[in-house]
Amino acid sequence: MSTLRDLAEEHTALRPADIDHLHRIAGDWQLLSDLSFADLLLWVPVDGDGTFLCVAQVRPTTAPTAYLDDQVGRIVGGAEVAHLEVAHRQGRIWREGDPVWYGDVPARHEAIPVRLRTGDGEAGEVIAVVGRDTNLSTARTPSQLELNYLTTADDLAQMIADGTFPPPRHPGETTSAPRVGDGLVRLDANGKVTYASPNAQSAYRRLGYASHLVGEDLAKLHRRLAGDPLEGTDAGNAVLAALRGEAPPRREIDARGATMLTRALPLMPAGVPIGALVLVRDITEVRRRDRALITKDATIREIHHRVKNNLQTVAALLRLQARRVAMPEARVALEESVRRVASIALVHETLSMSSDEAVEFDGIVDRVASAATEVAATEVSVGMRRRGTFGVLPAEIATSLVMVLNELLLNAVEHGFPPADEEAGAPSPADAARPEAVVSAPRPEVVVSAHRARKQLHVTVTDNGRGLPEQFDAERGGNLGLQIVRALVTGELRGTIDLRNGADGGTEAAIVVPLARGTTDRLTGRAGPP
């Protein structure tokens, strides 16, 4: 199904600012639907010929819907939309007419014009119409709660017609909470409570207020209840701001181990401030879980920090032992172990600074590559370059992959390039006497490439050196480092590795690592290909 913006741009001449205002209405109109006990349909005129297109729909959570089928995308005209045409043309809320039937469901039609206020604060032209359709099959004598809901809904409907609802959204705010069913408090123009729903009363009782809310000055009550004076002042000022016609950001109140989220909205139909609407929600358990997660995250980061410290201690001990060993082969083996341990410590160091069990791997690769050129036992100066991006990888992949790359990079630097004094790398005396005959060799370089495709990570380590020996066995040949690489890629990473000579010379190691289902979406924030 097309989005609101797609439908509006395809079928109407609405301006971007008009469509943005319709998006704000669709983001906040669940409140009006629940208060009205009615379905809301957002209709936009098409081509000025009396037809209307439904671009959005919301069903109430407080009453049965009037529509079993979704109405978005429908284009209708004629007598079926006469009430929409009146509201659009005359710019007033339409409430006349007899109930209509949708199959076996009787419904009452209403139409609310939608205006976008101009830059100077004046009410602009009608750009759309909100249809408010109520299922009458369960009609009964309304309770006090329902009467207050309906009265408040009428005030908000008039504010939509005036262009003053919904209010501007504050940066970082969502529309997920609180909702009508969580708790509703209505205030008069003086800030006194005229009605509080049972759920709202329960939320305040959990904060420690046992009396009935009706008649209370809510701003003063918030200041008294809050355990933190600054928090109470902010919550109280939010109520006063709503009474002045402003739309303050949501505020939380903590008291007696409980937490309540509040949202204050001005009520000013026809531009006259008549009070405010305060929605409240008990979020005590939500905040308790948040605190538990924060504690857990801190514990995990501390564990990674200690693992990193322990690995660095092991590396230091191995380094000391290497200095005391007389046998060159043993010293080399210990120094290689130091580098392997240090590369794993890099992953845990990064995880200790992250709030997730995942790491930005590009920075780790760059550090490992830089270290490989510094500690490799070779006289040749080798350049390192990374192409593409690894992105964010989970710890279980990153830890093994960093060891694989460390081994491949060290092998490329130490064994891929002949010493400068070898015959193949030095010009003959005759050529030396004729500089024009000397062809400069390319600078030694190792390139690490990475990209993602079809839920797989493809990594290639390429050098422009002398390539693999003629009798090299790609499956069994190589030193201990290559044996470690094969074991990690095929075992821990469940991937594949192919060692081969490059098409233009040098050596190429191609690795394919499968990413778990959902890893790409969760860690990169975008959907991967099917």
Side-chain angles (χ1 to χ4, degrees):
M1 179 61 68
S2 298
T3 65
L4 186 159
R5 185 176 300 276
D6 292 337
L7 290 170
E9 289 177 348
E10 180 180 355
H11 296 279
T12 74
L14 291 174
R15 301 166 300 172
D18 298 333
I19 299 175
D20 288 341
H21 184 62
L22 298 184
H23 265 292
R24 286 194 296 273
I25 289 178
D28 236 341
W29 66 348
Q30 184 70 58
L31 169 65
L32 178 59
S33 177
D34 290 342
L35 289 171
S36 302
F37 306 98
D39 292 77
L40 300 183
L41 286 76
L42 185 56
W43 298 93
V44 293
V46 179
D47 299 329
D49 59 357
T51 59
F52 287 81
L53 165 69
C54 181
V55 295
Q57 176 183 1
V58 64
R59 292 179 172 87
T61 62
T62 52
T65 180
Y67 300 97
L68 296 179
D69 298 325
D70 199 75
Q71 303 297 301
V72 176
R74 281 192 63 208
I75 297 179
V76 293
E80 188 176 353
V81 295
H83 60 300
L84 304 178
E85 179 65 24
V86 171
H88 183 261
R89 187 178 63 255
Q90 299 181 10
R92 66 177 180 87
I93 297 177
W94 184 92
R95 291 192 174 95
E96 305 86 38
D98 298 325
V100 297
W101 289 80
Y102 295 106
D104 297 331
V105 178
R108 180 177 62 247
H109 272 330
E110 296 177 75
I112 306 165
V114 177
R115 286 186 175 89
L116 173 62
R117 299 188 78 82
T118 62
D120 56 7
E122 297 296 325
E125 296 181 353
V126 177
I127 60 174
V129 179
V130 172
R132 182 164 59 170
D133 300 336
T134 306
N135 184 332
L136 299 178
S137 60
T138 58
R140 62 184 186 279
T141 303
S143 64
Q144 184 184 11
L145 178 145
E146 292 170 331
L147 289 173
N148 278 278
Y149 277 20
L150 292 170
T151 301
T152 305
D154 288 342
D155 293 335
L156 293 180
Q158 184 59 55
M159 291 172 65
I160 288 179
D162 299 336
T164 57
F165 183 88
R169 189 175 301 172
H170 296 272
E173 278 195 345
T174 64
T175 59
S176 59
R179 292 189 174 188
V180 169
D182 297 322
L184 177 144
V185 179
R186 180 165 177 136
L187 310 179
D188 62 17
N190 297 317
K192 299 292 182 68
V193 177
T194 59
Y195 175 77
S197 71
N199 284 346
Q201 190 73 51
S202 297
Y204 279 93
R205 186 171 290 112
R206 192 162 186 182
L207 292 179
Y209 184 75
S211 301
H212 204 275
L213 285 168
V214 173
E216 281 288 336
D217 186 316
L218 198 65
K220 294 180 179 178
L221 179 61
H222 283 179
R223 294 191 180 105
R224 293 200 311 267
L225 289 177
D228 184 341
L230 180 60
E231 186 180 85
T233 299
D234 289 342
N237 289 342
V239 174
L240 296 177
L243 293 172
R244 294 193 300 267
E246 303 171 15
R250 294 166 173 81
R251 300 293 185 188
E252 291 184 9
I253 302 176
D254 289 291
R256 298 192 177 186
T259 306
M260 185 175 72
L261 177 65
T262 68
R263 182 190 184 193
L265 293 169
L267 292 177
M268 42 188 304
V272 179
I274 62 171
L277 176 68
V278 180
L279 299 171
V280 301
R281 181 185 180 189
D282 183 354
I283 57 171
T284 303
E285 297 304 320
V286 174
R287 288 294 171 261
R288 187 172 296 167
R289 287 195 295 269
D290 287 346
R291 288 190 289 269
L293 287 174
I294 291 172
T295 302
K296 181 181 178 181
D297 288 343
T299 302
I300 292 173
R301 287 197 297 272
E302 178 62 21
I303 290 172
H304 284 301
H305 180 71
R306 294 188 182 187
V307 170
K308 182 264 297 185
N309 288 344
N310 291 339
L311 289 171
Q312 289 178 337
T313 301
V314 171
L317 292 173
L318 291 172
R319 193 177 294 111
L320 288 173
Q321 187 66 39
R323 292 172 183 170
R324 295 173 179 268
V325 172
M327 295 178 59
E329 296 84 355
R331 185 183 303 112
V332 170
L334 288 171
E335 289 173 349
E336 288 179 351
S337 298
V338 169
R339 292 193 292 268
R340 289 166 186 147
V341 172
S343 65
I344 300 175
L346 275 178
V347 177
H348 287 280
E349 180 182 7
T350 307
L351 288 169
S352 69
M353 297 181 291
S354 172
S355 60
D356 194 6
E357 280 293 288
V359 293
E360 283 283 355
F361 202 68
D362 290 346
I364 294 177
V365 173
D366 294 342
R367 293 173 65 181
V368 169
S370 177
T373 59
E374 293 175 0
V375 303
T378 179
E379 299 176 358
V380 180
S381 176
V382 180
M384 288 284 181
R385 183 159 56 93
R386 175 172 54 82
R387 189 165 55 202
T389 179
F390 289 81
V392 182
L393 292 177
E396 60 269 19
I397 293 179
T399 304
S400 298
L401 187 58
V402 73
M403 284 195 66
V404 169
L405 292 176
N406 181 60
E407 297 294 339
L408 292 175
L409 291 172
L410 283 171
N411 268 302
V413 173
E414 292 183 346
H415 306 297
F417 303 95
D421 58 354
E422 284 191 8
E423 183 179 354
S428 66
D431 287 339
R434 295 184 299 108
E436 68 276 6
V438 179
V439 179
S440 60
R443 177 175 182 265
E445 184 180 53
V446 179
V447 179
V448 182
S449 306
H451 71 277
R452 297 181 184 224
R454 302 187 69 84
K455 292 185 172 62
Q456 292 178 330
L457 177 64
H458 295 255
V459 183
T460 307
V461 179
T462 308
D463 65 62
N464 58 353
R466 54 187 167 189
L468 297 170
E470 290 185 5
Q471 304 301 322
F472 182 80
D473 185 347
E475 293 297 326
R476 298 180 179 82
N479 55 18
L480 175 63
L482 288 180
Q483 294 174 21
I484 292 175
V485 166
R486 291 193 193 93
L488 288 173
V489 171
T490 59
E492 296 296 325
L493 296 175
R494 294 184 175 85
T496 60
I497 180 169
D498 182 18
L499 285 173
R500 57 183 178 250
N501 284 316
D504 300 323
T507 306
E508 184 175 275
I511 301 170
V512 178
V513 177
L515 298 173
R517 182 176 297 276
T519 299
T520 301
D521 301 346
R522 178 174 59 87
L523 298 177
T524 66
R526 63 179 185 272

